[in-house]
Amino acid sequence: MNVRRTQWLLTGVGMVILAAMEVYLPSAAETSDTKIFVKDFMFNPTPVTVKAGATVTWTNMDDEPHTVVSDTGVFKSGGMDTNESFSFKFDKPGTYHFTCSIHPRMVGTIVVQ
C-alpha cells in the first residue's frame, strides 16, 4: 500500500469511530449531575432548568437539618444533616416545586424540559 492510500484509509476509520462515539456516548450535559446547595436556609440555585433524564442532587451545607419535598409528592428526602445529600432523577418534563418541610419558607423550583 502506498502512504497516501494508508492515510486515507486511517482517516476513514477514524471518522467512523468518532461517529460511533457520538451515537453511543451521552453528552456531558446528559451525564452531569445538577447540584443545588442548601445554605443559609436557602436553596441555591433556584429555579433550575434540566433536561428529562437528569439527576438533581441537593446537599445540605447548613448546621441545621433540612429536607427536600415536592409539592405534589413526587420526591421526598429524609432529614439531611450537614454535608448529607439527596438525589432525584427527573424523567418527565414539567415544573416541580419543592420546599423544606422543617422550614417551609425555604422553596425552590425545577423545570424539566
Side-chain angles (χ1 to χ4, degrees):
M1 260 187 183
N2 69 29
V3 174
R4 188 173 195 106
R5 189 175 206 183
T6 302
Q7 287 175 334
W8 181 83
L9 180 63
L10 290 175
T11 300
V13 169
M15 291 174 69
V16 168
I17 291 170
L18 287 174
M21 288 174 63
E22 260 185 56
V23 170
Y24 294 108
L25 292 179
S27 71
E30 293 171 23
T31 60
S32 67
D33 189 27
T34 300
K35 298 184 185 312
I36 296 177
F37 295 97
V38 184
K39 181 76 175 146
D40 299 324
F41 291 84
M42 295 171 42
F43 295 107
N44 190 25
T46 185
V48 172
T49 301
V50 299
K51 291 187 179 198
T55 299
V56 175
T57 299
W58 291 262
T59 302
N60 182 10
M61 306 303 287
D62 273 341
D63 290 332
E64 296 290 326
H66 294 292
T67 65
V68 180
V69 180
S70 91
D71 291 354
T72 58
V74 174
F75 55 89
K76 178 180 181 178
S77 76
M80 297 183 298
D81 287 326
T82 306
N83 295 321
E84 290 184 334
S85 297
F86 167 74
S87 296
F88 184 80
K89 183 177 180 182
F90 289 88
D91 290 321
K92 295 182 181 180
T95 300
Y96 299 82
H97 300 283
F98 58 91
T99 186
C100 171
S101 62
I102 302 168
H103 309 99
R105 292 185 194 154
M106 294 174 58
V107 296
T109 302
I110 307 268
V111 177
V112 181
Q113 298 177 332

